[in-house]
Amino acid sequence: MTSAEPLVYYPAYCFHLSPTINRWCPFRAVDIQGLECRPGFEADNVFFSLNHPIRWVRVVGVVVAIDEYYGRRIYTVDDSTGECIECSLDVPKPVDGARQDISKATTTNPTEAAPYSDIDVGMVIDVKGSTKIFRDQKQINIQKLQRVRSTNQEVQFWNKIRDFRRDVLDRPWVLERREVRRCKKQYMADVDAEEKKKKKKKENGYTLERNVLDRQSHTRSRNNDTRTKPAKGEPSNKTEARYSYTEGQYNALGL
């Protein structure tokens, strides 16, 4: 593919062949903010660098702010590239449900200590997580966070960013047509198999429900027969009982 040719954005059923979709992609904060959002992929939180699908990212920088919210903590990370990136972390909610400061909640309930509570402003951290949009801004939903304790670790990360851009991101992702056709064929086969599975499950559920109803109806019918059928030697109704009684009287009188 030459630079004049338009980028080809492959369907999601081809993503498993991508060199970027299932790896921690090392990025600068400014690069994460510059990732492109394509129609149809918003629900999956998939963004694009050229036509490379990006879901998982990694960034290293200094914590410049920490904001506490109900059930959520936001670390603002600055890596000196001209942009900051917010990193969101789910934290335990107060047991009583009150919207109180998280640090107070963890103090009163030490058994539910919030993760990464030792991270403070001014520390350098290494964040791994998924990308998402919040209020028209990119955020990282934290999956893993650790403190960077030496400048050497920062330099190693910057080298990873450089190598990843040179080896992967600077060239478009290209698939041969036969690979796309094969992926589509497999995808359609998987969809058909799933539909058949759902249909069979629904049919089995209907058959089971019908059998249960038939058994219940049969049981009710037997119970009704048992209640209405007279015992042997017993009159079937009140009229028969009355006539039987009077007939016995007449016989006793010789009539």
Side-chain angles (χ1 to χ4, degrees):
M1 177 180 289
T2 64
S3 58
E5 294 177 345
L7 290 173
V8 177
Y9 292 88
Y10 298 104
Y13 52 72
C14 295
F15 281 179
H16 65 283
L17 300 177
S18 164
T20 58
I21 192 67
N22 288 322
R23 67 178 291 181
W24 299 114
C25 300
F27 276 112
R28 301 176 301 172
V30 66
D31 296 329
I32 296 176
Q33 296 291 4
L35 292 175
E36 182 183 2
C37 183
R38 299 281 300 177
F41 296 97
E42 300 91 344
D44 297 326
N45 286 329
V46 174
F47 301 88
F48 292 87
S49 177
L50 289 182
N51 65 337
H52 294 280
I54 306 293
R55 179 179 285 133
W56 310 102
V57 298
R58 181 182 177 189
V59 68
V60 169
V62 180
V63 179
V64 295
I66 300 176
D67 297 300
E68 301 281 0
Y69 300 96
Y70 182 73
R72 195 162 56 98
R73 179 185 297 135
I74 301 295
Y75 298 92
T76 303
V77 176
D78 184 0
D79 64 352
S80 302
T81 59
E83 291 275 2
C84 293
I85 187 75
E86 291 185 346
C87 304
S88 176
L89 177 70
D90 293 334
V91 296
K93 298 176 182 178
V95 177
D96 58 0
R99 293 177 176 269
Q100 56 182 324
D101 186 82
I102 300 298
S103 61
K104 294 179 181 179
T106 54
T107 302
T108 57
N109 190 8
T111 59
E112 286 194 28
Y116 310 121
S117 56
D118 58 326
I119 300 299
D120 205 349
V121 172
M123 295 181 179
V124 180
I125 59 174
D126 181 350
V127 179
K128 295 178 180 179
S130 58
T131 49
K132 65 178 182 179
I133 294 287
F134 181 74
R135 294 179 180 174
D136 297 326
Q137 293 292 323
K138 303 285 193 326
Q139 273 191 355
I140 298 177
N141 191 32
I142 297 176
Q143 301 293 325
K144 186 177 181 180
L145 185 154
Q146 61 183 2
R147 187 176 176 184
V148 177
R149 299 183 179 277
S150 69
T151 305
N152 186 45
Q153 287 179 286
E154 289 187 74
V155 172
Q156 289 177 0
F157 181 75
W158 286 99
N159 291 338
K160 288 182 179 179
I161 294 176
R162 180 199 62 201
D163 296 341
F164 182 65
R165 176 163 295 280
R166 181 194 63 213
D167 298 337
V168 179
L169 297 183
D170 282 346
R171 296 190 300 272
W173 176 39
V174 179
L175 291 177
E176 296 182 6
R177 290 184 178 180
R178 62 182 179 84
E179 291 180 304
V180 178
R181 289 196 299 267
R182 178 174 57 81
C183 290
K184 183 177 182 179
K185 183 178 180 181
Q186 183 62 49
Y187 169 74
M188 296 304 294
D190 292 341
V191 170
D192 290 341
E194 186 65 24
E195 288 297 327
K196 290 179 180 178
K197 184 177 179 181
K198 290 181 179 179
K199 185 177 180 181
K200 185 176 180 180
K201 186 176 181 180
K202 185 176 180 180
E203 291 175 349
N204 291 340
Y206 174 78
T207 303
L208 178 61
E209 182 180 0
R210 187 65 179 269
N211 292 337
V212 171
L213 291 175
D214 289 345
R215 286 198 298 270
Q216 291 176 347
S217 177
H218 182 65
T219 303
R220 285 196 298 267
S221 178
R222 291 183 60 184
N223 291 338
N224 291 335
D225 291 343
T226 303
R227 286 194 298 267
T228 58
K229 186 177 180 181
K232 186 176 181 180
E234 198 176 282
S236 59
N237 52 52
K238 294 182 179 179
T239 303
E240 183 180 347
R242 185 173 65 250
Y243 291 161
S244 176
Y245 172 72
T246 56
E247 183 181 358
Q249 287 183 322
Y250 294 151
N251 290 338
L253 296 174
L255 300 176

